[in-house]
């Protein structure tokens, strides 16, 4: 966009956020005619229609959504500048926009991100959880700095990004004391016919669990399937079934959910990735995450 008029961009941003010119005019204390004329001029200068009518409201076109993503960053940075000038901190706040795959265990996500929060520089973290493909799209649109996931970006993904392996872990199995006493055989035979809580289809662990159980000739009774790992652990805490989690967080799972470790295996390998649009990681917070993960983090339990 050459010769970008930031006043026009601000009018566009206000209309996009308000959903209509009328509501934006009230917020900006300008007449609807003024905003409509400036918005039309902005669209003409950019050579793209940014809105389309939807009843009495306006909705963004594909080009409009792209412009809005940049406008959000521009005006968020402007707000930060105002805060800096008002409070006069000694250094600029470091921003980290991270997407966390909803299939990734919450405890793993926290422990992976924790090193970034230990940086001496002040950090503001914007953490979004969502479906893997949605997060990759936001990464491609530069709405995120990095995506943390339990699986690498697929080879056929229409996103130009790079996988950075953070670490690997075996898998452990857990149950309440009551449920473990009820199925008292040695591991892994205690899983036979026992109620089991299975990760959802988006979780990389699911297919590996099913393959391992098949090789072990085990047939647990699937008592539930969960896209949210924290919800699965909560059901496990209530005694609804046995469940699995990466061995690297075994101690934390037992403490947080008051369950017993019934066994572990290295035959199932859980992997954790940072996905970025850069071939080489450069963001200071992401570098801290990567260095900590590749250091001691995956050599001992959290």
């Amino acid at each position: 966009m050459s010769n970008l008029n930031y006043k026009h961009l601000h009018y566009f941003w206000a209309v996009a956020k308000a959903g209509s010119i009328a509501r934006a005019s009230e917020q900006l204390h300008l007449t609807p005619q003024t905003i409509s004329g400036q918005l039309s001029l902005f669209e003409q200068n950019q050579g793209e229609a940014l809105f389309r009518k939807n009843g009495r409201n306006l909705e963004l076109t594909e080009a409009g959504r792209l412009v809005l993503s940049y406008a959000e960053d521009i005006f968020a940075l402007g707000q930060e500048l105002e805060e800096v000038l008002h409070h006069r901190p000694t250094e600029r706040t470091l921003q980290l926009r991270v997407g966390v795959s909803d299939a990734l265990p919450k405890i793993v996500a926290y422990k992976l991100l924790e090193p970034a929060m230990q940086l001496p520089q002040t950090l503001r973290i914007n953490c979004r959880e969502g479906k893997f493909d949605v997060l990759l799209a936001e990464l491609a649109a530069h709405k995120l700095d990095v995506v943390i996931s339990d699986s690498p970006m697929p080879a056929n993904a229409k996103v130009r990004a790079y996988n950075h392996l953070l670490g690997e872990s075996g898998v452990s199995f857990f149950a309440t004391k009551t449920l473990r006493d009820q199925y008292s055989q040695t591991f892994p035979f205690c899983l036979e016919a026992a109620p089991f809580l299975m990760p959802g289809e988006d979780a990389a662990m699911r297919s590996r669990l099913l393959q391992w159980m098949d090789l072990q000739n085990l047939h647990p009774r699937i008592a539930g399937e969960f896209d949210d790992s924290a919800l699965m652990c909560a059901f496990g805490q209530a005694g609804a079934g046995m469940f699995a989690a990466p061995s690297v967080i075994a101690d934390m799972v037992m403490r947080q959910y008051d369950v017993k470790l019934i066994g572990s295996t290295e035959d199932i390998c859980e992997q954790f990735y940072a996905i970025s649009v850069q071939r080489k990681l450069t963001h200071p917070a992401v570098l801290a995450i990567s260095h900590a993960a590749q250091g001691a983090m995956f050599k001992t339990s959290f």
Side-chain angles (χ1 to χ4, degrees), residues 170-209:
V171 170
S172 294
F173 295 77
F174 308 88
T176 60
K177 183 179 184 304
T178 300
L179 190 59
R180 181 67 179 98
D181 291 343
Q182 184 179 350
Y183 295 88
S184 57
Q185 301 96 320
T186 58
F187 178 82
F189 307 108
C190 58
L191 297 172
E192 179 64 29
F196 191 81
L197 308 178
M198 185 67 70
E201 293 184 356
D202 289 341
M205 184 190 292
R206 179 190 176 95
S207 60
R208 296 165 185 162
L209 273 172

Side-chain angles (χ1 to χ4, degrees), residues 32-83:
Q33 293 79 6
T34 298
I35 295 179
S36 179
Q38 297 297 305
L39 189 58
S40 295
L41 184 59
F42 183 56
E43 289 182 318
Q44 290 174 18
N45 289 339
Q46 309 316 314
E48 294 274 5
L50 305 178
F51 291 100
R52 65 171 66 93
K53 287 187 176 181
N54 182 8
R56 294 184 177 181
N57 295 324
L58 294 174
E59 64 180 23
L60 291 166
T61 62
E62 183 177 350
R65 287 193 293 271
L66 177 62
V67 174
L68 178 61
S69 69
Y70 282 93
E72 293 275 26
D73 291 340
I74 289 169
F75 293 118
L77 191 60
Q79 182 179 2
E80 181 187 333
L81 176 58
E82 289 184 2
E83 295 175 358

Side-chain angles (χ1 to χ4, degrees), residues 40-177:
S40 295
L41 184 59
F42 183 56
E43 289 182 318
Q44 290 174 18
N45 289 339
Q46 309 316 314
E48 294 274 5
L50 305 178
F51 291 100
R52 65 171 66 93
K53 287 187 176 181
N54 182 8
R56 294 184 177 181
N57 295 324
L58 294 174
E59 64 180 23
L60 291 166
T61 62
E62 183 177 350
R65 287 193 293 271
L66 177 62
V67 174
L68 178 61
S69 69
Y70 282 93
E72 293 275 26
D73 291 340
I74 289 169
F75 293 118
L77 191 60
Q79 182 179 2
E80 181 187 333
L81 176 58
E82 289 184 2
E83 295 175 358
V84 167
L85 293 175
H86 180 69
H87 298 290
R88 296 295 175 98
T90 56
E91 60 181 10
R92 181 181 173 185
T93 299
L94 180 65
Q95 303 280 345
L96 176 63
R97 303 168 301 170
V98 55
V100 177
S101 170
D102 58 5
L104 189 73
K106 305 300 182 292
I107 302 175
V108 172
Y110 169 73
K111 295 305 295 184
L112 286 172
L113 296 174
E114 185 181 26
M117 294 183 285
Q118 305 302 321
L119 289 173
Q121 188 173 355
T122 303
L123 176 71
R124 177 183 293 179
I125 185 169
N126 184 340
C127 192
R128 303 181 189 177
E129 182 186 23
K131 295 295 183 183
F132 190 35
D133 56 345
V134 174
L135 295 177
L136 288 178
E138 292 188 347
L139 180 70
H142 301 283
K143 294 181 179 180
L144 297 173
D145 297 308
V146 67
V147 171
I148 305 296
S149 175
D150 64 343
S151 59
M153 184 181 64
N156 61 351
K158 298 178 180 180
V159 176
R160 184 177 178 83
Y162 301 92
N163 298 311
H164 307 274
L165 180 63
L166 296 176
E168 300 178 333
S169 170
V171 170
S172 294
F173 295 77
F174 308 88
T176 60
K177 183 179 184 304

Side-chain angles (χ1 to χ4, degrees), residues 27 67 209 216 240 267 296:
Q27 296 169 5
V67 174
L209 273 172
Q216 300 295 323
D267 293 336

